[in-house]
């Protein structure tokens, strides 16, 4: 059975046997996987700012993904790599699941508090881990969709005229057309025309929908 191409499970572990076993788990549920034997290898591919000029690491992620990351590795540790991932906001679109031994559980718990998705203690249950992988991919997919939605709203806002933006701001504040007209020193009819154009351009049918769309953008 061939893996699907719409999601990727990144695996970073210095143990070749572990990497091979972990790579098989996603494939068992038709998920693509990509393995790296060191944090440095993964960092060169995903975090190197020179690899895609002008585009940040998080922006390069366009499909659902997650990262299985070993805590202890030679060279750059999993925790050090995680800190770099958090610093560029990559963990929001690429949830991180730490793989840890019993002695590292407190460390992994602390990482979860700092934004990691979860941790799995070795030896772990294959089914439980794959379940968490699928849940992490669902979180990634929602984050990517929210980013696309926010970009769409920003693109629509760029098409508004200055006056339409003025009207939109007051409409979102909940002001009726008469008060909007008074604030902007224009006629109520002019407000109605601008309000209708704002709704059309923004693809909404009510002030509530408009406020919700703008709130999503503001929250990002």
């Amino acid at each position: 059975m061939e893996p699907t191409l719409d999601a990727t499970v990144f695996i970073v572990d210095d143990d070749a046997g572990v990497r091979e076993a972990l790579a098989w788990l996603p494939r068992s549920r038709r998920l693509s996987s990509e393995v790296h034997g060191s944090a440095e290898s993964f960092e060169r591919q995903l975090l190197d700012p020179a690899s895609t000029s002008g585009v940040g690491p998080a922006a390069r992620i366009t499909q659902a993904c997650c990262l299985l990351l070993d805590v202890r590795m030679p060279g750059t540790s999993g925790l050090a790599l995680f800190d770099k991932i958090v610093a560029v906001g990559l963990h929001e679109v690429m949830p991180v699941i730490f793989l840890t031994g019993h002695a590292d559980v407190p460390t992994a718990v602390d990482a979860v508090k700092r934004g990691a998705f979860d941790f799995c203690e070795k030896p772990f249950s294959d089914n439980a881990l794959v379940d968490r992988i699928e849940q992490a991919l669902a979180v990634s997919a929602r984050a990517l969709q929210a980013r696309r939605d926010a970009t769409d709203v920003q693109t629509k806002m760029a098409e508004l005229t200055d006056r339409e933006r003025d009207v939109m701001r007051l409409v979102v504040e909940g002001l009726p057309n008469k008060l909007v007209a008074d604030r902007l020193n224009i006629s109520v009819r002019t407000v109605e025309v601008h309000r209708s154009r704002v709704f059309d351009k923004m693809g909404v049918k009510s002030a509530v929908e408009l406020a919700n769309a703008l709130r999503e953008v503001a929250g990002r």
Side-chain angles (χ1 to χ4, degrees):
M1 185 179 294
E2 291 297 320
T4 57
L5 300 178
D6 58 351
T8 300
V9 180
F10 295 106
I11 298 164
V12 179
D13 196 297
D14 63 300
D15 187 310
V18 172
R19 289 198 304 273
E20 182 177 347
L22 288 173
W24 175 84
L25 290 178
R27 289 199 298 269
S28 71
R29 297 195 187 180
R30 301 192 65 204
L31 296 169
S32 298
S33 62
E34 180 179 311
V35 299
H36 293 267
S38 68
E40 289 84 355
S41 170
F42 182 80
E43 184 175 353
R44 282 193 297 271
Q45 176 179 329
L46 271 259
L47 299 183
D48 182 3
S51 62
T52 306
S53 180
V55 179
R60 297 172 206 157
I61 301 296
T62 58
Q63 65 178 28
C65 63
C66 69
L67 170 62
L68 301 185
L69 180 59
D70 191 18
V71 171
R72 291 178 182 262
M73 291 183 290
T76 301
S77 70
L79 291 171
L81 175 61
F82 176 67
D83 287 340
K84 295 178 181 181
I85 288 171
V86 171
V88 296
L90 192 56
H91 66 300
E92 297 175 357
V93 292
M94 185 186 67
V96 176
I97 300 175
F98 274 105
L99 304 175
T100 178
H102 178 70
D104 295 316
V105 168
T107 301
V109 171
D110 180 66
V112 170
K113 292 178 180 178
R114 292 189 292 115
F117 182 74
D118 202 353
F119 69 91
C120 288
E121 185 179 353
K122 302 174 183 177
F124 44 77
S125 161
D126 288 354
N127 285 332
L129 178 54
V130 180
D131 286 344
R132 290 304 280 160
I133 287 172
E134 291 188 328
Q135 291 161 12
L137 292 174
V139 168
S140 174
R142 288 194 294 270
L144 289 169
Q145 185 59 54
R147 187 176 72 183
R148 287 190 287 268
D149 291 344
T151 299
D152 181 55
V153 170
Q154 291 168 339
T155 299
K156 292 174 179 177
M157 287 180 63
E159 297 175 355
L160 299 177
T161 65
D162 289 342
R163 179 59 81 189
E164 286 167 352
R165 289 194 186 92
D166 291 338
V167 170
M168 179 179 70
R169 176 176 53 82
L170 296 175
V171 167
V172 168
E173 288 181 7
L175 273 63
N177 290 347
K178 178 65 169 64
L179 289 182
V180 173
D182 291 344
R183 289 275 190 92
L184 299 178
N185 196 28
I186 57 179
S187 70
V188 172
R189 176 56 185 159
T190 300
V191 171
E192 292 172 347
V193 170
H194 286 313
R195 180 185 179 116
S196 176
R197 288 175 178 170
V198 168
F199 282 13
D200 286 343
K201 289 182 179 181
M202 296 299 293
V204 299
K205 297 181 179 179
S206 70
V208 173
E209 277 189 60
L210 180 60
N212 288 338
L214 296 180
R215 191 176 300 113
E216 287 296 322
V217 173
R220 295 194 62 78

